């Protein structure tokens, strides 16, 4: 039965999202049910065993090291290193370490979704698609949680608080340094039509140039040192098989298509929210996330994690989509949207390149 935990999660979120879209859940009930759902994800995140990507490297880091210098030699970012060391002084149980990491991630992410999304249960569905609801979190997930929470400080224009949370995230995963410009991007009054033309042009150029970039990037990487070259080779190997694609071009095409489908949904909703500053700011960030993907994909699909902090905006954006659709059509539109999300999630998780990392879902029990 435990192998079907993903189907259970999808059905749970479908029911909750459907009820949320139709407005048939009271405010008090919504808080309790949302809290219970987040707790459910948190429990799954620390009772898992040998399940999730990069399990061995993270597990070995915690189990095989004892002193602070041992942990520092692993080369992870400072705060992740210190968290490993501190928890190791308390216990050698890895599940306990995962539990503490989850206690950082889920409150930050859960509170942000509940407060900033008009339909938080629909946003949870997008959270499942983009981040697998952080059930299989890695250190990047902790960094993204801090950036995601920091969106409130972008909105309220509290620069120093935004920089503080982004800096903390940076100490868990260096890739989120790219999120710093989000403070300004969020408030830009972007011309949507011009942005789409520019984005489309860049997309076409990068698609046609990807062969040249892929074949010559190794030569460029040698100028940056052997360590960078080694990482680049690994990224290229993993990126090439992204989503079961047989080439970088195919993987790029799939990635662009999926992002364009979501963008089309968000743009449809834009006409109802054109004066909503939160929606416009989040849409700005999502457009930037697509630009990151298009520009970085030819170099390495795995390097696209640099844009993940911007792509998180989609989790909140999707909550705006259904609250302005005519009541009589909301249910049907939500069902169609859920089918699309479910197909992508199942294809990527249960039948994707890394499916062996997620199946079966093993637990500490």
């Amino acid at each position: 039965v435990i192998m079907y935990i993903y189907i259970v999660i999808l059905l749970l979120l479908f029911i909750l999202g459907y009820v949320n879209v139709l407005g048939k859940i009271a405010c008090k009930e919504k808080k309790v049910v949302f809290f219970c759902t987040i707790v459910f994800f948190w429990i799954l995140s620390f009772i898992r065993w040998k399940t999730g990507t990069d399990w061995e490297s993270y597990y070995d880091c915690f189990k095989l090291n004892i002193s602070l210098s041992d942990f520092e030699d692993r080369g992870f970012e400072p705060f992740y290193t210190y968290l490993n060391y501190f928890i190791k002084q308390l216990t050698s149980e890895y599940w306990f370490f995962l539990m503490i990491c989850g206690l950082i991630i889920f409150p930050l992410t859960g509170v942000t979704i509940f407060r900033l999304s008009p339909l938080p249960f629909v946003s949870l569905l997008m959270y499942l698609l983009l981040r697998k609801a952080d059930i299989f979190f890695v250190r990047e997930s902790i960094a993204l949680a801090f950036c995601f929470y920091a969106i409130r400080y972008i909105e309220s224009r509290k620069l120093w608080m935004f920089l503080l949370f982004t800096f903390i995230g940076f100490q868990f995963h260096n890739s989120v340094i790219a999120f710093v410009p989000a403070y300004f991007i969020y408030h830009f009054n972007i011309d949507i039509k011009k942005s789409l033309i520019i984005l489309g042009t860049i997309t076409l150029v990068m698609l046609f140039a990807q062969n040249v970039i892929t074949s010559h990037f190794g030569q460029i990487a040698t100028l940056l040192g052997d360590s960078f070259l080694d990482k680049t080779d690994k990224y290229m190997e993993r990126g090439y098989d992204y989503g079961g694609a047989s080439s970088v071009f195919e993987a790029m095409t799939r990635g662009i298509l999926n992002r364009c489908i979501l963008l089309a949904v968000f743009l449809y909703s834009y006409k109802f929210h054109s004066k909503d500053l939160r929606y416009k700011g989040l849409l700005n960030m999502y457009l930037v996330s697509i630009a990151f993907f298009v520009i970085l994909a030819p170099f390495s699909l795995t390097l696209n994690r640099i844009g993940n902090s911007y792509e998180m905006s989609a989790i909140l954006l999707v909550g705006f989509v259904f609250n302005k659709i005519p009541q009589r059509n909301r249910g049907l539109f939500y069902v169609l949207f859920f089918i699309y999300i479910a197909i992508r999630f199942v294809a990527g998780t249960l039948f994707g390149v890394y499916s062996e990392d997620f199946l079966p879902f093993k637990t500490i029990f």
Side-chain angles (χ1 to χ4, degrees), residues 69-86:
S69 60
D70 289 337
F71 283 105
E72 289 175 335
D73 289 341
R74 299 291 297 204
F76 289 130
E77 286 83 354
F79 283 11
Y80 186 77
T81 298
Y82 300 146
L83 184 61
N84 270 270
Y85 172 72
F86 176 72

Side-chain angles (χ1 to χ4, degrees), residues 112 115-118 147-159 161-163 179 182-187 276-283 285 316 320:
T112 302
R115 290 187 179 179
L116 299 186
S117 172
C147 292
F148 194 50
Y149 188 85
I151 290 175
R152 70 188 54 219
Y153 298 121
I154 300 178
E155 191 173 280
S156 60
R157 296 181 184 270
K158 295 180 179 179
L159 176 60
M161 288 299 294
F162 166 77
L163 291 176
F179 192 62
Y183 184 86
F184 306 100
I185 291 170
Y186 185 94
H187 296 290
D276 189 319
L277 296 181
R278 178 180 294 170
Y279 190 88
K280 292 177 70 175
L282 293 170
L283 186 59
M285 289 168 60
L316 301 177
F320 288 83

